[in-house]
Amino acid sequence: AAVPVRGEAIELYVSGLLESSPYPPQVTINGKPTEILYFAPGQINVLIPSAFPKHEAMAIQFTYLGRHSNAIT
């Protein structure tokens, strides 16, 4: 599998997002907030921050309506 790099957009496939919700999820990579490019039930597209260290492992977590997901590595 390819390793995502700084400034690249990635798709996350998730469950638990409400259809037509006005409230966006919050996504962090290694505990730092990231920009949400798109979200819909089952999918969140985010941008890997340009300040993200090269070749560092990522722990991705999302929060939605006050509930936290497990970290994805």
Side-chain angles (χ1 to χ4, degrees), residues 20-72:
S20 69
S21 174
Y23 305 107
Q26 297 172 325
V27 178
T28 60
I29 298 178
N30 292 354
K32 296 184 171 126
T34 188
E35 181 181 350
I36 305 288
L37 301 174
Y38 171 81
F39 78 97
Q43 181 179 343
I44 305 171
N45 294 3
V46 300
L47 188 63
I48 298 173
S50 58
F52 189 78
K54 197 173 188 179
H55 304 296
E56 184 175 310
M58 287 191 286
I60 301 171
Q61 186 174 32
F62 79 94
T63 303
Y64 185 66
L65 299 177
R67 293 180 286 171
H68 303 281
S69 73
N70 293 328
I72 304 164

